[in-house]
Amino acid sequence: MSSSTQSNTLADVLKWEESGNHSREAVTIASGENMAVNEVAGKITKSTPATGTAGGGNTGSGTCTSVTAGENAKIGTYTMTALSATSFAVKDPDGYALPDATVDSAYTNAHLNFTINDGSPDFIAGDSFTIAVAAGSGNIVPVDFSAVDGTQDAYGITCADYDASAAALAGVLVVRNAGIMPDDLVWPSGATAGQKAAALAQLKTAGIIETTEV
């Protein structure tokens, strides 16, 4: 639910845009969402599995569970390779080393969080797990500052009311090169001044700027 009072029309916020619908983008509003005109929207760009995949030649019978993405998660495959029965080296999809993981201890990192659980028999050096972070659906939801799937970043502004409560719905966003008056933007309930400022800065990088033009 949004806390701001809904504006009556897009014109309350959008003061100019490029011709030929250049500033707009056709999108899909995610199923289950009910978005208001002038709502700041995020885009689902990443999808993370809940468990890691064990290497086919593993000796150890342990598992990798409680997987969640961090704010810096990359699309691609993360690899955890056993250094011993109790320690795993961790690499990101580009092959860069992250801090080692300890068996039976929660691993927390800006890239990924997970737990490698011990089993019987124990792990041996060379056992491995992979975690594949995939591209997200690309669907649109209200910006969510606590998310890690891409929707924590402001992607655009809704051009109309979109009730996708029952099923995904086609919609349109202003996503680039436009002038807005932000006072009537619709934000998530509890959004702070700092979060709003950061989101407006993200929109600015796409050419959506604050204007005094009425």
Side-chain angles (χ1 to χ4, degrees), residues 24-121:
R24 304 191 183 198
E25 181 177 296
V27 298
T28 299
I29 309 300
S31 178
E33 300 296 341
N34 186 2
M35 301 185 68
V37 63
N38 299 327
E39 187 155 6
V40 180
K43 183 177 182 178
I44 301 171
T45 59
K46 300 172 187 173
S47 176
T48 306
T51 60
T53 300
N58 279 10
T59 294
S61 64
T63 59
C64 178
T65 60
S66 304
V67 178
T68 59
E71 60 183 5
N72 294 336
K74 298 179 180 179
I75 294 174
T77 301
Y78 288 79
T79 303
M80 294 80 75
T81 305
L83 302 172
S84 68
T86 58
S87 180
F88 278 71
V90 182
K91 290 186 177 181
D92 78 2
D94 296 317
Y96 292 108
L98 300 176
D100 292 348
T102 301
V103 173
D104 281 340
S105 295
Y107 184 86
T108 58
N109 186 268
H111 282 255
L112 283 179
N113 310 294
F114 57 84
T115 299
I116 295 177
N117 309 287
D118 196 11
S120 181

